[in-house]
Amino acid sequence: MSSSEHGFQHPVPSEITPRSVYEGRRHWLRQMAAGALGPALASWAARDALAQDKLAALPATRSTVPGAQVMDKPTARADATSYNNFYEFGTDKADPARNAHTLKTRPWTLAVEGAVKKPKVFDLDELLRLSPMEERIYRLRCVEGWSMVIPWVGWSLAELIKRVEPTGNAKYVEFVTLADPKTMPYVGSRVLEWPYVEGLRLDEAIHPLTLLAFGMYGEVLPNQNGAPVRLVVPWKYGFKSAKSIVKIRFVEQQPRTAWVKAAPQEYGFYSNVNPKVDHPRWSQATERRIGEDSLFAKKRPTLMFNGYEPQVGQLYAGLDLSKHF
Ligand SMILES: Nc1nc2c(c(=O)[nH]1)N[C@H]1C(S)=C(S)[C@@H](COP(=O)(O)O)O[C@H]1N2
Ligand SMILES: [Mo]
C-alpha cells in the first residue's frame, strides 16, 4: 500500500508498528507523531514526549529485507528495556535502566574514517535522514543463554558504507562506542577495556541484515538499549551489537574487540550463534526466551546462526566454525 492512498507523506499507520501495537496504549502520541494530525501537532507531540521524559516516536515502514520479519512473538517492551547488558552502566541486568539516564545523546556525531575514499563525521540528524527507516523484527541471542525478539527501527549499515566508499584496504570494520567516565559510572572499572570495541568482516558489515538501529518499538532507542545509534547483527551473539557508537573505522587487520581482549579463550571474533559450538563454561544448545520464564516453560533449541542460516550461511562457506568461533 502506498502512503498517497492516505493523503499524507509519512509512512501510513498500517505500515507502522509502533509501541502502542505492542502495548495497546499511547495511541494518541503515535497518531500525532506520525503526522496524521498535521506537522505542527506532530512536532508539538515530539517535544511534549521529550518534556515528559517519554521517547519520541520514530515512524518506519516494514522492512522487506529477507529474514527481517521473524514470526516469533515480540518480547514485551518492558522486558526489553529493563533486562539489559550495557556494562558502561553496571554489570547487573537492572543497572542500565537504572543508571543510563545520565547518557547525553544530543548533540551526537558518528565519525566514519580509515580505509575509505570519503571519510565523514555525520551528525545524528543527518543519519536519521540518510535512508528511510525500516522496522525489522529480529531475534537477539545473548551469549549468556537468553534471547528476546525485538522490533528495531533503522536501516542497513550498507547504506552508510556505500556513501563513504571503502578502498581495497578495507577488510574489516571496527565499531567504537562512547566511553565517557563523567556519564558512564563503570567506564574506568576493570570489567572490560574501554571503549567497548566490536568488529565485523567487511562482507558481514555490508550484509543487508546488519542494521544500524536508532529505535525500537516505534520509538527512538531508550538510553539503556544503546541510544542514539547502535548496531544489530542478528545472527551473532548479542555482544557484537555495539551500543552508543561514536566511530566506525575501516581497517585492514581484524580488530581486537573488547570481549576477545577480556577472554580470548571464551569469545572469538566471529561469535556466530552456533548451538554446536559450546562456550567453554556452558552449552549453547538451548536458550531461555525472556518472558517465557515460568517454572514449566521449556527452553528453546538455539538455531544455527540464530535462525538466519538461509541468509548468512554462505558468508562462512569453508570456514571451520569450531576454530573460528
Ligand atoms: N557499548 C556496549 N554495547 C553492548 C554491550 C555493552 O556492555 N556495551 N553489551 C552487549 C550485549 S552482551 C548484549 S546481549 C546486547 C544487549 O542489547 P539490549 O540490552 O538492547 O537487549 O548489547 C550489546 N552491546
Ligand atoms: Mo550478551
Side-chain angles (χ1 to χ4, degrees), residues 37-103:
L37 303 179
L41 265 176
S43 70
W44 170 83
R47 268 203 309 277
D48 187 58
L50 288 171
Q52 292 179 31
D53 212 350
K54 287 177 184 160
L55 299 175
L58 190 58
T61 54
R62 200 157 292 168
S63 179
T64 57
V65 167
Q69 303 288 340
V70 306
M71 299 309 284
D72 310 23
K73 182 170 169 277
T75 299
R77 183 186 184 279
D79 288 335
T81 58
S82 63
Y83 188 90
N84 303 101
N85 277 335
F86 198 168
Y87 277 15
E88 289 84 336
F89 293 102
T91 53
D92 192 89
K93 295 284 176 285
D95 283 341
R98 204 158 36 213
N99 298 332
H101 60 274
T102 54
L103 177 66

Side-chain angles (χ1 to χ4, degrees), residues 85 142-144 146 238-239:
N85 277 335
C142 180
V143 73
E144 297 164 335
W146 49 268
F239 64 84

Side-chain angles (χ1 to χ4, degrees), residues 94-115:
D95 283 341
R98 204 158 36 213
N99 298 332
H101 60 274
T102 54
L103 177 66
K104 200 167 158 267
T105 57
R106 267 176 200 273
W108 192 277
T109 56
L110 173 63
V112 186
E113 58 184 49

Side-chain angles (χ1 to χ4, degrees), residues 80-81 83-90 96 140-144 146 148 150 152 177-178 184 192 194 196-198 216 221 224-226 230-231 237-245 259:
T81 58
Y83 188 90
N84 303 101
N85 277 335
F86 198 168
Y87 277 15
E88 289 84 336
F89 293 102
L140 180 132
R141 168 60 156 81
C142 180
V143 73
E144 297 164 335
W146 49 268
M148 299 195 197
I150 298 183
W152 301 105
T177 74
L178 185 69
M184 298 171 139
L192 287 172
W194 312 103
Y196 189 102
V197 170
E198 260 307 334
M216 60 196 284
L221 288 169
Q224 62 268 35
N225 293 91
R230 69 172 293 172
L231 193 65
Y237 291 117
F239 64 84
K240 300 297 284 183
S241 295
K243 293 176 169 178
S244 306
I245 300 171
W259 284 103

Side-chain angles (χ1 to χ4, degrees), residues 85-215:
N85 277 335
F86 198 168
Y87 277 15
E88 289 84 336
F89 293 102
T91 53
D92 192 89
K93 295 284 176 285
D95 283 341
R98 204 158 36 213
N99 298 332
H101 60 274
T102 54
L103 177 66
K104 200 167 158 267
T105 57
R106 267 176 200 273
W108 192 277
T109 56
L110 173 63
V112 186
E113 58 184 49
V116 292
K117 292 195 195 97
K118 296 180 172 167
K120 184 174 157 73
V121 178
F122 291 87
D123 185 76
L124 178 61
D125 289 312
E126 210 173 338
L127 292 173
L128 290 168
R129 288 189 305 261
L130 187 131
S131 189
M133 289 291 168
E134 297 178 14
E135 182 178 76
R136 302 189 180 185
I137 304 179
Y138 282 173
R139 288 183 210 94
L140 180 132
R141 168 60 156 81
C142 180
V143 73
E144 297 164 335
W146 49 268
S147 62
M148 299 195 197
V149 177
I150 298 183
W152 301 105
V153 178
W155 34 257
S156 291
L157 178 65
E159 292 295 329
L160 181 71
I161 294 177
K162 70 186 184 201
R163 284 167 175 80
V164 296
E165 299 180 24
T167 69
N169 293 331
K171 302 281 193 282
Y172 294 90
V173 188
E174 181 182 69
F175 302 88
V176 183
T177 74
L178 185 69
D180 176 17
K182 291 195 295 297
T183 55
M184 298 171 139
Y186 278 66
V187 167
S189 80
R190 295 192 308 183
V191 242
L192 287 172
E193 225 177 88
W194 312 103
Y196 189 102
V197 170
E198 260 307 334
L200 295 171
R201 229 168 48 188
L202 183 63
D203 59 341
E204 298 176 323
I206 289 173
H207 192 283
L209 283 174
T210 299
L211 183 72
L212 203 61
F214 302 87

